[in-house]
Amino acid sequence: MTPVLKAAWTAQAFNGASECLQVFGGHGYVREWGIEQIVRDARVTMIYEGTNEIQAIDLLVRKIAPDAGLGLFTLLQTLSDELDPGVAAQAHFLDQVAALRQVTERLAQAAPGDPQLLYWVADDYLRALTLCLMSWAWLQISHATQDDASATAHGSRWTEPASAVRHWVLPEFAMRLHIITARLDSGA
Ligand SMILES: Cc1cc2nc3c(=O)[nH]c(=O)nc-3n(C[C@H](O)[C@H](O)[C@H](O)COP(=O)(O)OP(=O)(O)OC[C@H]3O[C@@H](n4cnc5c(N)ncnc54)[C@H](O)[C@@H]3O)c2cc1C
């Protein structure tokens, strides 16, 4: 998970900082407010300690492809074991794992005949895996806060972020998988 965590959260830090700058409008862009410095400081984290592209290659080429995803899917199976396919949000995560597994197997099969393939799709793969794991993490958050008195007291403290993630963030999983599949289908 090291490459996933490094690349995913540094990219998120930069995107989050950039969105915060956007909220300030033109004032965000000028130096006086300090937010432009935060955007710049967050940006370098995508470059050093292994650039995020190199992290993505490490994940797919070195860590996942050699055993065709066996280690990864053992982990994802552990995360899946306690879930109930009868609950829509949980079924959604299980569907994501199944789709990711299918694409991983296709990648492992095709890679020996296409030396560029894994490098071509590594960024999209890392992002898809990130979104799959985020989907699981938000299931845990929902579960942990459903009977939480402080969550109830604060009303929308957890329900609104959960709804925003579901509507605006997690659908990107399908897009990333589609990009990878399109590359696989094109064969070049
Ligand atoms: C503020 C700052 C502090 C730093 N501190 C340290 C430090 O303390 N110690 C230290 O050792 N280093 C340090 N570095 C160096 C840092 O680790 C490197 O900048 C980083 O590893 C990227 O290497 P590079 O700059 O040579 O870029 P390059 O390797 O030339 O990469 C350029 C771009 O091409 C991409 N790229 C390269 N190869 C591939 C590939 N095969 N596939 C796809 N994309 C690829 C990269 O992801 C990157 O986007 C620091 C850098 C900065 C900016």
Side-chain angles (χ1 to χ4, degrees):
M1 286 300 115
T2 303
V4 177
L5 293 170
K6 193 279 174 182
W9 304 137
T10 55
Q12 186 59 40
F14 173 69
N15 291 335
S18 179
E19 291 295 312
C20 289
L21 184 152
Q22 186 76 11
V23 171
F24 283 79
H27 278 286
Y29 187 73
V30 298
R31 283 209 172 142
E32 282 78 353
W33 293 96
I35 190 77
E36 56 84 32
Q37 185 64 54
I38 290 173
V39 175
R40 186 174 158 81
D41 290 347
R43 186 63 181 83
V44 75
T45 64
M46 296 166 69
I47 296 170
Y48 58 27
E49 303 296 343
T51 66
N52 287 3
E53 292 75 21
I54 298 299
Q55 295 288 348
I57 290 169
D58 178 46
L59 174 74
L60 189 56
V61 176
R62 284 207 217 137
K63 293 187 161 69
I64 291 179
D67 69 358
L70 187 64
L72 172 67
F73 287 98
T74 303
L75 169 70
L76 293 177
Q77 186 59 50
T78 308
L79 300 185
S80 305
D81 279 345
E82 291 178 5
L83 299 182
D84 177 358
V87 177
Q90 300 184 21
H92 183 63
F93 170 75
L94 296 172
D95 288 346
Q96 285 185 327
V97 172
L100 199 55
R101 177 173 225 145
Q102 194 181 33
V103 102
T104 305
E105 286 167 0
R106 282 191 68 189
L107 285 170
Q109 274 172 7
D114 182 353
Q116 287 190 6
L117 174 65
L118 299 181
Y119 297 87
W120 190 281
V121 301
D123 284 344
D124 295 303
Y125 191 96
L126 185 146
R127 185 66 185 154
L129 178 56
T130 301
L131 291 159
C132 180
L133 292 167
M134 275 177 70
S135 163
W136 176 82
W138 276 94
L139 286 175
Q140 306 307 304
I141 292 170
S142 299
H143 181 68
T145 56
Q146 66 190 2
D147 301 321
D148 183 343
S150 66
T152 313
H154 290 107
S156 57
R157 172 65 186 88
W158 291 105
T159 51
E160 286 190 2
S163 167
V165 166
R166 202 166 47 248
H167 287 285
W168 300 110
V169 180
L170 299 182
E172 188 192 337
F173 175 86
M175 182 189 85
R176 296 290 178 168
L177 234 56
H178 186 74
I179 292 171
I180 299 170
T181 309
R183 177 62 173 78
L184 275 164
D185 291 343
S186 79

